[in-house]
Amino acid sequence: MNIQQLDLTIPQRHLMEIFANADPISTYGDECVRSLLTYVQSLLTEIHYSSPTLDRMLAGTLPHIDFERRIMVALCEAYDCSIDECGVSLSEITQDDYRGMLQNCYPKIIDDLFPEPVKSIDPTQNLLVTWEMGYGLKIREELWNIENEEFRAILSLIYEYIMVCSSGWPVLYQSFLADWTKYLLTREWPDNEAELRAKLQEEKELRMSYQKSNIILMKKNQEYEDAKDGSFITVMEAARAVLEKIYGRDSIDKEADAWRKRVTDGKFDLGTPIEGRQGRKFYPVGNIISAFQATNQEMITDEDIAHAIDSRSISKARLTL
């Protein structure tokens, strides 16, 4: 069969189209990777599976990345030490040491795009950077147990392609081309035109359904964000919620009280509190999340902090005053 006539429902042809439309000039451009990950998202829909992190990445709802903290966490993991042992501010180290840290802990893209440290990174600007700043690992963890062989083969190729784009190493280009060629040569190419046309129509309908679902999801996300504005929590309860996510429920009172003191030392705007019974003060969730993210000394991401606190918060209508 003429490959040019293969239907886009065939994964090989779909991947060919994405690679063929990629911009070969743009350095560290993420257009091709964005298309590949969008295709993965559509395949997940077909097998009734999902990756929450991938959905948020493509929808542009991930929180800003704390660049300095992510580098320090990666450095601690590389040298098997705690954040307190190896944690120094990037402003306190030399330019050579900073570049050395990037080269030891991250692929070439991070060193090239961030020759000077920045406070935070917008995760919507470049999916390659977002992937390398830890979210790629979270996506892989969410998808590792899918047993569909064809889907796993596609995932493996896409993971390898992202590594090629981020690293800039010629040897990885060669490895990817070898695996891509092997993938194409070991697949059966269907030649039933009527069946292909039926599959094409099915995929078109599926894509329309996915687009409608995505619009609904974005609307729900916005409703969720708006609802948070009316949620409240005490500082101590927020500290317990975050620490329980890390250590469980055992023996965290001392650590929770220490974190409470860091948050309430007067450096953060916690908003206007609502006073409940026994003098308990409930603060707006958004302000509390920001304060805890700014005082984070634990091995937990900003995203997990926000989720832990928000899940324990209560609406103003339910407060016992």
Side-chain angles (χ1 to χ4, degrees):
M1 165 173 275
N2 185 341
I3 292 179
Q4 293 297 328
Q5 296 176 352
L6 282 174
D7 207 300
L8 280 179
T9 55
I10 307 305
Q12 295 89 340
R13 172 61 192 274
H14 202 139
L15 292 172
M16 288 178 189
E17 290 284 338
I18 292 174
F19 287 132
N21 292 327
D23 181 1
I25 300 176
S26 176
T27 302
Y28 297 130
D30 71 344
E31 180 181 352
C32 183
V33 170
R34 192 178 295 271
S35 297
L36 289 170
L37 292 178
T38 300
Y39 181 48
V40 168
Q41 191 180 49
S42 69
L43 292 177
L44 287 171
T45 301
E46 291 181 12
I47 62 175
H48 307 291
Y49 206 90
S50 69
S51 165
T53 303
L54 176 61
D55 292 341
R56 293 191 65 190
M57 179 186 288
L58 294 175
T61 59
L62 289 174
H64 273 59
I65 299 168
D66 186 334
F67 183 68
E68 181 174 32
R69 180 164 183 81
R70 290 297 174 95
I71 290 178
M72 299 311 300
V73 169
L75 190 64
C76 291
E77 291 175 349
Y79 291 99
D80 192 23
C81 62
S82 71
I83 193 75
D84 295 324
E85 292 172 341
C86 64
V88 294
S89 172
L90 293 185
S91 62
E92 299 175 9
I93 66 175
T94 66
Q95 181 70 10
D96 288 343
D97 286 342
Y98 167 71
R99 299 297 292 275
M101 289 169 63
L102 293 189
Q103 292 164 8
N104 286 332
C105 300
Y106 287 102
K108 194 171 184 294
I109 183 175
I110 305 300
D111 186 32
D112 285 351
L113 295 186
F114 302 97
E116 301 287 342
V118 295
K119 183 175 179 59
S120 67
I121 299 173
D122 182 351
T124 65
Q125 293 303 307
N126 190 308
L127 295 192
L128 285 170
V129 173
T130 304
W131 184 277
E132 295 299 341
M133 283 282 109
Y135 287 110
L137 179 60
K138 294 192 70 171
I139 291 172
R140 295 183 73 142
E141 290 174 347
E142 291 169 359
L143 300 181
W144 76 271
N145 61 343
I146 295 180
E147 297 180 356
N148 185 297
E149 182 179 351
E150 180 66 26
F151 181 76
R152 291 179 67 86
I154 294 172
L155 271 184
S156 179
L157 282 170
I158 291 175
Y159 292 159
E160 190 171 3
Y161 179 76
I162 292 174
M163 186 186 303
V164 167
C165 294
S166 301
S167 70
W169 293 349
V171 66
L172 292 182
Y173 283 88
Q174 183 177 351
S175 174
F176 170 75
L177 287 174
D179 289 343
W180 170 238
T181 303
K182 180 180 179 180
Y183 172 77
L184 294 179
L185 293 177
T186 55
R187 293 305 186 272
E188 294 184 8
W189 299 89
D191 55 5
N192 188 325
E193 185 175 355
E195 181 181 352
L196 291 178
R197 289 186 180 278
K199 287 185 176 180
L200 176 60
Q201 182 61 33
E202 181 181 343
E203 180 170 300
K204 286 180 177 178
E205 293 174 358
L206 180 64
R207 287 181 182 176
M208 290 180 64
S209 174
Y210 172 74
Q211 289 174 356
K212 292 179 180 177
S213 298
N214 196 41
I215 292 173
I216 294 173
L217 177 62
M218 292 180 68
K219 182 179 179 181
K220 287 185 177 295
N221 283 340
Q222 186 59 52
E223 291 174 351
Y224 171 75
E225 292 297 327
D226 293 342
K228 285 205 305 185
D229 293 338
S231 298
F232 293 80
I233 192 170
T234 68
V235 178
M236 190 62 179
E237 188 64 18
R240 288 196 183 98
V242 175
L243 289 168
E244 284 175 10
K245 191 171 185 65
I246 307 172
Y247 304 113
R249 293 180 176 271
D250 298 331
S251 303
I252 60 169
D253 285 347
K254 182 178 179 181
E255 290 79 2
D257 190 57
W259 204 337
R260 176 191 64 78
K261 291 177 181 177
R262 294 201 301 271
V263 169
T264 57
D265 66 356
K267 296 180 181 179
F268 304 99
D269 178 13
L270 301 182
T272 303
I274 296 177
E275 191 162 337
R277 290 181 178 177
Q278 298 178 339
R280 300 176 71 198
K281 292 184 178 180
F282 293 83
Y283 293 90
V285 164
N287 298 59
I288 293 293
I289 288 175
S290 297
F292 271 81
Q293 289 173 342
T295 55
N296 181 17
Q297 297 178 4
E298 304 287 342
M299 299 292 282
I300 184 171
T301 66
D302 286 353
E303 180 184 6
D304 287 338
I305 287 175
H307 182 269
I309 294 176
D310 187 59
S311 64
R312 195 70 64 85
S313 67
I314 57 179
S315 66
K316 184 176 180 180
R318 293 175 53 205
L319 286 178
T320 304
L321 305 178

